[in-house]
């Protein structure tokens, strides 16, 4: 609960007067110090090893960052799956086969870039090395994505997809929260890191089939007892949209608890069949 309270405070800058200004000054000094170190002791890009020539806390070069392939504009209006070559029938929404069958419980999902190449390695850095500046960089891309929605996006809270408590204890952090927390701050929304919880751990098997992936998350999430969810519009944040099973399971838990809407946001979108029995893809 303390994390939620501090996030609400950070979502409303300037309300705390001088202490807030002091925090901002310390943050600026820390960033300036990091930038100076990067100039005096240049390092290599963590993806391609090219020498980093700019002052930045993100350990990835501009060439690699710019290589991330944005998700195409022609995409499913619900899940955001790229649909190159598809055309919208007049008066009809553009929907992929899964969303024509109303597979998902979330209202919409959008992703920043395609899960391939340098982006895969960047997400692994975030996931296993807790590089918070990279999480903030990704959050900025999601802010652009949110603000670029033609019909706008109304939300009340930002919620990261949770890890099971055992997995988070082992890792020491939740990689989704490394993105969702700075995102909430930039959107001036409360960050509810403990609103949703994972009640069943992921199977130990390293690689799951499509059937196993869907089964592993079915009923595996719930809202935390005592959480206020009724009529909330939720921004649900994760690192990768692979099959959509995780976002779907989280959205179902939020809907059952009374959420008004659920909008999924991820950094990456895997372009692959989201359903194990989908012969149309």
């Amino acid at each position: 609960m303390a994390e939620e309270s501090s996030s609400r405070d950070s979502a409303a800058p300037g309300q705390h007067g001088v202490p807030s200004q002091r925090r901002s000054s310390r943050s600026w000094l820390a960033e300036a110090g990091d930038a100076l170190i990067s100039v005096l002791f240049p390092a290599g890009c963590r993806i391609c090893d090219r020498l980093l020539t700019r002052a930045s806390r993100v350990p990835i070069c501009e060439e690699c960052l710019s290589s991330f392939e944005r998700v195409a504009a022609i995409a499913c209006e619900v899940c955001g799956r790229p649909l190159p070559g598809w055309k919208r029938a007049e008066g009809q929404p553009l929907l992929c086969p899964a969303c024509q069958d109303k597979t998902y419980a979330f209202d919409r999902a959008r992703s920043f870039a395609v899960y391939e190449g340098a982006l895969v390695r960047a997400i692994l850095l975030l996931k296993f090395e807790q590089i918070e500046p990279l999480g903030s960089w990704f959050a900025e891309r999601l802010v652009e994505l949110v603000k670029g929605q033609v019909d706008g996006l109304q939300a009340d809270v930002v919620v990261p997809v949770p890890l099971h408590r055992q997995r988070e204890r082992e890792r020491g952090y939740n990689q989704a929260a490394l993105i969702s927390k700075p995102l909430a701050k930039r959107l001036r929304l409360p960050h509810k890191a403990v609103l949703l919880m994972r009640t069943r751990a992921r199977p130990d098997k390293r690689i799951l089939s499509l059937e196993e992936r869907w089964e592993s998350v079915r009923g595996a999430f719930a809202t935390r007892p005592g959480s206020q969810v009724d009529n909330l519009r939720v921004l649900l944040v994760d690192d990768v949209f692979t099959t959509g099973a995780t976002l779907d399971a989280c959205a179902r838990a939020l809907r059952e608890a009374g959420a008004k809407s659920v909008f999924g946001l991820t950094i990456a979108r895997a372009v692959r069949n989201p359903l194990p029995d989908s012969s149309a893809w």
Side-chain angles (χ1 to χ4, degrees):
M1 294 299 180
E3 183 176 356
E4 292 181 26
S5 175
S6 64
S7 296
R8 284 193 294 270
D9 291 345
S10 66
Q15 293 182 356
H16 303 283
V18 174
S20 178
Q21 294 176 4
R22 287 174 179 169
R23 283 195 298 271
S24 297
S25 297
R26 286 196 297 269
S27 176
W28 181 87
L29 288 172
E31 291 182 8
D34 288 340
L36 180 60
I37 290 173
S38 70
V39 171
L40 296 176
F41 305 98
C45 170
R46 293 296 302 279
I47 293 177
C48 71
D49 291 330
R50 186 183 287 111
L51 189 67
L52 297 174
T53 57
R54 63 186 177 88
S56 172
R57 301 175 69 200
V58 178
I60 300 174
C61 69
E62 287 291 345
E63 288 82 355
C64 286
L65 291 174
S66 62
S67 74
F68 301 158
E69 181 185 348
R70 296 339 190 236
V71 173
I74 301 176
C76 175
E77 293 181 21
V78 173
C79 74
R81 183 181 191 270
L83 299 173
W86 286 45
K87 293 183 179 180
R88 180 186 289 103
E90 187 174 351
Q92 298 294 322
L94 184 61
L95 300 176
C96 68
C99 293
Q100 288 172 12
D101 291 338
K102 299 183 179 178
T103 297
Y104 300 115
F106 50 76
D107 295 80
R108 280 184 291 168
R110 295 292 182 269
S111 304
F112 159 60
V114 177
Y115 189 55
E116 63 182 19
L119 182 58
V120 176
R121 296 184 64 184
I123 288 178
L124 289 175
L125 286 174
L126 181 72
K127 191 169 186 174
F128 295 109
E129 299 193 31
Q130 196 180 0
I131 301 178
E132 295 185 15
L134 182 56
S136 296
W137 188 90
F138 281 138
E140 290 286 359
R141 308 291 80 74
L142 291 184
V143 169
E144 296 166 3
L145 192 61
V146 168
K147 292 183 177 180
Q149 293 300 299
V150 175
D151 53 355
L153 174 62
Q154 300 299 318
D156 301 305
V157 294
V158 177
V159 176
V161 168
L163 294 175
H164 187 266
R165 59 184 178 277
Q166 180 180 348
R167 178 66 61 85
E168 187 163 358
R169 251 196 321 267
E170 293 170 354
R171 188 171 294 172
Y173 58 93
N174 176 6
Q175 72 272 8
L178 299 181
I179 306 164
S180 63
K181 192 170 183 178
L183 173 68
K185 183 176 181 179
R186 285 159 177 74
L187 294 177
R188 297 177 179 269
L189 292 172
H191 184 245
K192 300 286 188 178
V194 297
L195 185 148
L196 196 60
M197 60 182 182
R198 181 159 188 159
T199 57
R200 190 175 71 245
R202 185 184 187 277
D204 290 334
K205 186 176 177 182
R206 188 172 181 82
I207 298 176
L208 302 178
S209 67
L210 289 176
E211 292 88 348
E212 290 170 332
R213 187 180 290 272
W214 278 84
E215 184 60 33
S216 71
V217 295
R218 186 174 290 120
F221 298 90
T223 54
R224 193 171 298 275
S227 296
Q228 176 58 44
V229 184
D230 286 348
N231 215 34
L232 286 182
R233 298 167 297 182
V234 179
L235 269 183
L236 182 64
V237 179
D238 204 2
D239 51 358
V240 183
F241 185 123
T242 305
T243 65
T246 299
L247 288 183
D248 173 70
C250 290
R252 290 182 190 280
L254 291 165
R255 288 286 201 176
E256 289 171 5
K260 182 177 181 180
S261 63
V262 180
F263 188 105
L265 285 177
T266 69
I267 294 304
R269 180 61 153 87
V271 182
R272 57 178 295 180
N273 295 358
L275 302 176
D277 59 351
S278 180
S279 59
W281 291 46

